[in-house]
Amino acid sequence: MANPRGTWTLFKRETQRFLKVYMQTILAPVVNNLLYFAVFGFSMHKAIPDIQGITYLQFMVPGLVIMGLVNNAYQNPSSSIILMKYQGIIGDLLSIPLKTYEIFIAFISSALLRSFIVGLVTFITALFFVSFPYTSVPLILISAFLVSLFFSFLGLFVGIWAKEFDNQMFIQTFLIMPLTFLGGVFYPVSSLPGVIGTIAKFDPIVHMINLLRYGFTGIQEISISLSMTVLVTITVAMGIISYFTLRSGWKLKN
Amino acid sequence: MATAISIKNVHKIYSKGENTTHALKDFSLEINSGEFFALLGPNGGGKSTLINIIAGPTKKNSGTIKICGLDIDTHREETKFMIGVVPQEVNFDSFFNVNEVLTFCSGYYGIKNNQNYIDEILEKLNLEDKKFANTRALSGGMKRRLLIAKALVHKPKVLILDEPTAGVDVELRHNLWVYMRELNKAGLTVLLTTHYLEEAESLCRRTAIINKGTVVALDDTKKLIKSLGNYKEMTLNFKDKIGKIPEHLEQFKAKKISDYDLVLTFEPKELNKVLTALKDLNPSDIELQSQSLEDVFLKLTYRS
């Protein structure tokens, strides 16, 4: 017995939750990105030579868009579920007549929406300062979708696993942040020396940025098919893990 | 009569490291459709575990639970549509106001445009002036009434109330029970757990007492009270200090409970004899009491 209205309602609840605190969820990431533009784009880009024929600002913007997608897709479901645990309303989530896949769809869709809003606003803001050749718009859209999907799945998993916000911040600070900064947002991964450069190729965010950057500018550091294979594989795997974790009731049910 | 809640041989064991707690031991119970049923028990007796298993947040180890004939394991979502649960712990969704919370709750159960019914519930629960107040701004009693509203918003067939009146003042509690009686008369099955035993006594036709995970008593509430023996207690208050207890009162197990108060215990058929015996004593006040559910509860739980 499917419950589409119930699913839609949970999606609405999740979406209205982050829209109610839009200063923190939408505006703050945009302001952060504006600061990146100011610092790296305007102050330093003249000192940095063009990379594979594109300006430093053109090089950096796809990475900033990825950062917006990653952080917001991750934070939306994880914060929401941890807050539900704090407020004692996690029992409500387990008592409403929704199947696992319906709860899953509602949380992931809302995370994708928040992620897209921040990614889009970052991109539109960037358009005031820089233009792109747009090598492949479909690749931009598909990559952005898959990146958001992967981190929505991860956020859902972390929300279920976490006892408190410290656990969520731990993953953000010690896993996502280093992988993002080492993933080539601000510099070409190929410029990393020897072993570090090889290790960096195992960073999934390198592949995410590679795909989006190619879609925007046409430059690639790794083959597009390899990056797409990595992204699709890890997204499917993370999706399966987070769905079955939710279904099992692990850390949610007694 | 159709069965609203059927619980058969349910076991629940909580394990944490080497510690295991057997919260429900081969627990069985049947509650008929349209009943106002009381489930009483001390803290940690297993009431909330049972309710959480029925509602969803807790998994049982074994046994069967059916709601209106449907097994909660094989018809999880269908049975969730049929029940409304008021949890013991007060919770609130701090992002939204009362009306938004209830509109979301309606939506979860597939109901669109439920505003008229939401308004009706808010009025019945004396929350209409808090309709647009953020849930954070509600007092403890208001939050508890909001939980009741959330449980009713989809018009369930079975309402499970886990200590719903804790922290609710006397007048509002009275109004709440008037409303619950009204819903019960209209066909709603109510399972109530409460620490106010007089509530169970006045509202519920049948009562079960649960202790250490098993049912230790289950009967018609009045029969259960009389199971201790059908006797009355009369407390006599005197203006002057009572000296020696008059000999002719000893047949009524007369007992001094203070210098001015005397308690007599007797069977109802002995009432005339008691009144005759009191003729020359001139008490300044008389109070007559029956056994209460509390006596039964204490006997079956704390003394076991």
Side-chain angles (χ1 to χ4, degrees):
Chain A
M1 189 165 106
N3 182 359
R5 180 164 299 284
T7 311
W8 171 246
T9 304
L10 185 58
F11 165 77
K12 264 190 1 190
R13 188 255 169 212
E14 285 303 300
T15 303
Q16 286 186 24
R17 185 194 69 81
F18 77 72
L19 289 176
K20 288 227 175 196
V21 284
Y22 66 94
M23 293 276 272
Q24 177 191 334
T25 54
I26 308 291
L27 288 185
V30 173
V31 170
N32 275 349
N33 285 335
L34 279 173
L35 289 173
Y36 283 124
F37 287 137
V39 174
F40 293 100
F42 296 123
S43 313
M44 294 171 64
H45 85 287
K46 283 174 190 158
I48 303 170
D50 286 0
I51 300 163
Q52 294 182 35
I54 59 168
T55 66
Y56 183 64
L57 212 51
Q58 285 174 319
F59 178 86
M60 188 183 70
V61 167
L64 290 181
V65 172
I66 288 277
M67 277 175 65
L69 297 176
V70 165
N71 290 330
N72 288 280
Y74 169 75
Q75 280 171 5
N76 207 55
S78 53
S79 301
S80 182
I81 293 174
I82 297 168
L83 263 174
M84 282 180 169
K85 290 179 182 175
Y86 269 97
Q87 294 175 333
I89 54 173
I90 196 75
D92 290 2
L93 183 70
L94 302 170
S95 305
I96 56 177
L98 288 178
K99 290 183 186 299
T100 304
Y101 77 84
E102 292 170 323
I103 294 174
F104 190 73
I105 288 171
F107 272 97
I108 298 302
S109 309
S110 180
L112 288 177
L113 180 63
R114 175 169 157 188
S115 167
F116 290 158
I117 290 173
V118 174
L120 195 64
V121 174
T122 305
F123 169 64
I124 291 168
T125 312
L127 290 182
F128 288 100
F129 310 101
V130 66
S131 62
F132 299 96
Y134 302 110
T135 306
S136 172
V137 173
L139 187 68
I140 294 172
L141 296 175
I142 291 168
S143 309
F145 174 73
L146 288 173
V147 168
S148 301
L149 201 57
F150 174 81
F151 281 95
S152 306
F153 292 152
L154 179 67
L156 185 72
F157 175 80
V158 170
I160 295 168
W161 161 75
K163 272 188 182 168
E164 46 203 22
F165 279 104
D166 265 2
N167 301 132
Q168 183 209 28
M169 287 311 295
F170 177 83
I171 299 291
Q172 177 114 23
T173 310
F174 294 99
L175 186 71
I176 297 175
M177 191 85 93
L179 288 180
T180 308
F181 276 78
L182 295 173
V185 174
F186 299 106
Y187 56 86
V189 178
S190 52
S191 67
L192 290 172
V195 181
I196 300 174
T198 310
I199 292 170
K201 284 181 185 159
F202 291 96
D203 176 352
I205 294 179
V206 166
H207 297 279
M208 296 173 187
I209 294 174
N210 185 51
L211 287 167
L212 208 66
R213 190 169 282 144
Y214 178 80
F216 275 108
T217 65
I219 69 160
Q220 55 180 299
E221 294 188 84
I222 305 165
S223 104
I224 294 304
S225 56
L226 173 64
S227 289
M228 187 53 88
T229 306
V230 169
L231 183 54
V232 170
T233 307
I234 60 170
T235 303
V236 170
M238 196 66 236
I240 291 170
I241 291 168
S242 61
Y243 174 78
F244 282 99
T245 305
L246 179 66
R247 201 174 84 157
S248 72
W250 179 65
K251 299 277 185 182
L252 296 177
K253 291 188 178 188
N254 293 316
Chain B
M1 190 179 278
T3 306
I5 304 176
S6 166
I7 303 160
K8 279 188 183 153
N9 312 112
V10 169
H11 283 269
K12 174 64 192 173
I13 299 167
Y14 292 107
S15 302
K16 200 173 185 186
E18 288 182 1
N19 298 328
T20 56
T21 309
H22 211 145
L24 291 174
K25 294 175 197 162
D26 203 25
F27 189 95
S28 297
L29 183 67
E30 292 220 331
I31 298 168
N32 297 321
S33 291
E35 259 197 296
F36 208 130
F37 189 94
L39 182 64
L40 308 178
N43 289 332
K47 304 183 301 291
S48 295
T49 295
L50 180 69
I51 288 170
N52 284 332
I53 290 172
I54 297 172
T58 300
K59 291 190 276 192
K60 58 184 164 52
N61 293 96
S62 61
T64 316
I65 297 179
K66 289 181 180 173
I67 306 292
C68 301
L70 294 178
D71 193 313
I72 64 165
D73 293 328
T74 52
H75 297 82
R76 187 70 269 198
E77 283 69 39
E78 288 95 324
T79 54
K80 282 178 175 177
F81 271 103
M82 292 179 197
I83 56 176
V85 178
V86 179
Q88 192 182 118
E89 298 293 329
V90 172
N91 64 45
F92 60 99
D93 194 343
S94 60
F95 286 92
F96 302 104
N97 67 36
V98 168
N99 198 55
E100 287 169 329
V101 166
L102 295 177
T103 305
F104 285 139
C105 278
S106 307
Y108 296 146
Y109 289 88
I111 305 166
K112 196 182 173 187
N113 303 328
N114 203 24
Q115 195 59 56
N116 289 342
Y117 191 55
I118 289 172
D119 290 342
E120 185 187 320
I121 295 174
L122 289 176
E123 192 191 330
K124 293 280 187 184
L125 294 171
N126 301 89
L127 281 173
E128 66 269 43
D129 58 335
K130 298 291 172 190
K131 185 174 173 181
F132 298 111
N134 188 288
T135 53
R136 264 178 310 195
L138 302 180
S139 68
M142 288 172 188
K143 283 184 184 128
R144 204 169 274 284
R145 279 178 280 145
L146 176 59
L147 294 183
I148 298 169
K150 281 166 69 180
L152 287 172
V153 86
H154 62 288
K155 298 184 180 168
K157 289 181 180 174
V158 177
L159 180 66
I160 299 172
L161 302 162
D162 195 358
E163 295 176 23
T165 48
V168 177
D169 71 41
V170 178
E171 189 190 345
L172 292 170
R173 203 186 308 164
H174 172 76
N175 293 345
L176 174 66
W177 292 131
V178 168
Y179 183 36
M180 290 300 122
R181 274 202 180 102
E182 195 182 307
L183 291 171
N184 178 243
K185 270 187 187 160
L188 178 73
T189 305
V190 183
L191 167 59
L192 164 72
T193 81
T194 177
H195 276 309
Y196 299 104
L197 299 186
E198 67 275 17
E199 285 181 348
E201 209 172 320
S202 68
L203 290 162
C204 303
R205 196 180 66 76
R206 286 202 307 150
T207 295
I209 297 178
I210 174 176
N211 191 27
K212 295 175 184 165
T214 50
V215 175
V216 291
L218 167 64
D219 210 334
D220 188 283
T221 308
K222 287 193 173 68
K223 277 188 192 165
L224 206 55
I225 294 166
K226 285 182 179 169
S227 66
L228 285 179
N230 188 16
Y231 63 84
K232 305 278 177 194
E233 277 187 349
M234 183 182 281
T235 307
L236 307 168
N237 177 264
F238 296 93
K239 275 185 181 164
D240 302 319
K241 270 192 178 181
I242 307 163
K244 198 181 163 213
I245 297 172
E247 269 180 30
H248 69 286
L249 293 183
E250 278 174 9
Q251 60 180 313
F252 306 118
K253 297 171 193 144
K255 195 168 65 181
K256 251 170 50 171
I257 56 168
S258 76
D259 285 344
Y260 300 92
D261 296 291
L262 198 63
V263 175
L264 309 181
T265 306
F266 56 91
E267 289 185 26
K269 62 184 179 189
E270 295 176 301
L271 183 62
N272 276 338
K273 270 170 77 179
V274 173
L275 293 174
T276 310
L278 295 180
K279 233 177 190 177
D280 302 322
L281 293 176
N282 292 323
S284 60
D285 196 11
I286 294 177
E287 199 180 317
L288 191 62
Q289 290 162 324
S290 299
Q291 307 95 302
S292 69
L293 197 52
E294 193 168 332
D295 299 324
V296 183
F297 179 79
L298 288 171
K299 186 187 173 203
L300 292 172
T301 58
Y302 291 101
R303 290 174 207 168
S304 66

